[in-house]
Every structure is written in C-alpha cells, then in structure tokens.
Amino acid sequence: MVVTWSGAGAIHELAQEIADCRICRDCPRPGSASLPHEPHPIAVLSDQARVLIASQAPGMRAHKSGVPFDDASGVRLREWLGVDWDTFYNPRNFAILPMGFCFPGYDAHGSDMAPRRECAPAWRERALSLMPQVQLILTIGSFAQKWHFGNGAVRSMTETVADWRSILDASASPKLLPLPHPSWRNSSWLKRNPFFERDLLPVLQSRIKLLIS
C-alpha cells in the first residue's frame, strides 16, 4: 500500500513508481540475496502532513495487510504520539517513509532482518523533496537515524536518543527527533532509560498536537 494525499501530480506519480518497485527482488545490491518473497512496498506519501515518520521497514503483519504499523509496535507508537487510529492513518497528519519499503524477511533467529539497502538510495531523496511542508521528522531506530543524521550518527541508538534535546534544538526545518523502535522487545530498554517517557514523550506529544491541529 503506497498512499498519497492529493491524488495528482509528481507525488502521486512517485507513489505509483514505488508501488511497482521490484529492485530488491530483481536487482539486489552486489553481495545481497534477492528478497525472499514478492515485494509489497508500503509507505504513506503526503503533500500536507507536517509530521513524517522515518521508520525501519514493515513487519510481516503489515506485509500481509498493506497497513504500516499494523501490529503491537503500532499500538505503542500511537500511544507515544498521543493519537488514535484514525488520526494516525490520516495522511493529512502523518507521512510514513520507511528506510525499506518491503518486509525484509526473518533472520536465523526469527527476528526481522535489516531494511533492504536498495530502497533509500533509490527513493528517499526524491520522496523527501516532494514533501517540503514537513516540519518534524521522527527518526525511529538506528537505521533511520544514521541516514538522517549523516556522518554525525556514529553513536549507538541509546546515546542518540539520550541526546534528543540537543538534536531537536540544533536541527533546522524540518526538525529531527530520534526515537527507539516501538517494538515490545524494547520494553526493557524503556525501563533502563526512564528519561524517554519522563522527559521526551511530553515534548513529543505537545509538538504532535500542535502540528496536526
């Protein structure tokens, strides 16, 4: 599912191209295996949303349903944002641009693999250029943080998120705010890092309320 808000023009054309993309299956990067299943690109492009969620890659449930964050991680993310289902999936409110548009498959331990490396070089700059109205980018997880912060993202995800206030204050428009992945596997991380819920979430929810009002 590649959704666009406006339904016409360059952003709609890009959405159609992404929906038809088969790079990771037909032309994988040298040294990488082909995607082990039929690609099912998932993203939400919008020329009105002022908040962009730079996520990792769809999970298996999203792959099957075509709905991004259609799992327990999505429940937690919406709680972090302070929004309900309808608000979250309204493309006037949120654009969703994963680092990899397709579910990458499972590794030997049954965990989701890293986002496919073909996606970001092929699509990301173009997609972002067509959404100049975005004022806040939520970088979820280390893959999104390394891409959006460039050479400065040499720290661990924990160190990056812990430095959220400096990152938010220092970034020009659009503002950048690093978040951990909302997977329930990160519950222990949240317990070890109480600053996230105590300090970061109130600021996040305040900004979201302002930007989608």
Side-chain angles (χ1 to χ4, degrees), residues 51 77 80-82 136 138 164 168 177 179 196 199-210:
V51 181
L77 178 58
W80 287 355
L81 300 174
L136 176 65
L138 306 178
W164 66 272
L168 183 64
L177 184 61
L179 304 177
F196 178 76
D199 302 328
L200 191 157
L201 284 190
V203 173
L204 170 63
Q205 292 175 7
S206 177
R207 295 214 171 206
I208 294 298
K209 184 176 181 180
L210 176 65

Side-chain angles (χ1 to χ4, degrees), residues 5-88:
W5 179 258
S6 79
I11 197 167
H12 177 69
E13 294 173 4
L14 176 61
Q16 291 296 113
E17 291 182 46
I18 291 173
D20 294 335
C21 180
R22 298 296 182 268
I23 295 174
C24 56
R25 184 194 67 184
D26 300 339
C27 302
R29 286 184 58 161
S32 299
S34 296
L35 189 74
H37 49 260
E38 179 66 17
H40 187 184
I42 298 173
V44 178
L45 307 183
S46 173
D47 60 6
Q48 293 196 20
R50 292 192 286 174
V51 181
L52 184 142
I53 298 172
S55 50
Q56 181 164 289
M60 175 57 82
R61 285 190 60 175
H63 173 73
K64 291 181 176 180
S65 69
V67 179
F69 288 101
D70 184 22
D71 53 17
S73 295
V75 174
R76 173 173 271 173
L77 178 58
R78 289 187 288 276
E79 290 176 352
W80 287 355
L81 300 174
V83 300
D84 60 18
W85 176 282
D86 291 337
T87 302
F88 182 76

Side-chain angles (χ1 to χ4, degrees), residues 13-197:
E13 294 173 4
L14 176 61
Q16 291 296 113
E17 291 182 46
I18 291 173
D20 294 335
C21 180
R22 298 296 182 268
I23 295 174
C24 56
R25 184 194 67 184
D26 300 339
C27 302
R29 286 184 58 161
S32 299
S34 296
L35 189 74
H37 49 260
E38 179 66 17
H40 187 184
I42 298 173
V44 178
L45 307 183
S46 173
D47 60 6
Q48 293 196 20
R50 292 192 286 174
V51 181
L52 184 142
I53 298 172
S55 50
Q56 181 164 289
M60 175 57 82
R61 285 190 60 175
H63 173 73
K64 291 181 176 180
S65 69
V67 179
F69 288 101
D70 184 22
D71 53 17
S73 295
V75 174
R76 173 173 271 173
L77 178 58
R78 289 187 288 276
E79 290 176 352
W80 287 355
L81 300 174
V83 300
D84 60 18
W85 176 282
D86 291 337
T87 302
F88 182 76
Y89 289 108
N90 186 335
R92 287 176 293 184
N93 297 327
F94 295 97
I96 302 175
L97 195 67
M99 296 305 300
F101 293 134
C102 295
F103 170 57
Y106 295 120
D107 63 20
H109 304 287
S111 299
D112 289 6
M113 296 179 69
R116 295 292 305 198
R117 295 185 297 165
E118 297 87 357
C119 276
W123 302 111
R124 201 160 193 84
E125 290 284 4
R126 185 175 167 195
L128 290 170
S129 72
L130 293 177
M131 296 187 283
Q133 82 290 342
V134 168
Q135 296 182 27
L136 176 65
I137 299 179
L138 306 178
T139 59
I140 297 179
S142 58
F143 291 101
Q145 289 159 15
K146 288 177 181 177
W147 196 93
H148 282 275
F149 300 156
N151 294 330
V154 296
R155 299 172 295 179
S156 68
M157 187 275 294
T158 298
E159 291 174 313
T160 300
V161 177
D163 197 28
W164 66 272
R165 195 178 297 276
S166 295
I167 292 170
L168 183 64
D169 290 343
S171 53
S173 185
K175 291 289 188 179
L176 299 171
L177 184 61
L179 304 177
H181 195 279
S183 169
W184 289 91
R185 295 184 179 184
N186 279 338
S187 294
S188 60
W189 184 94
L190 295 174
K191 292 180 180 178
R192 295 194 305 272
N193 296 276
F195 75 87
F196 178 76
E197 294 182 334

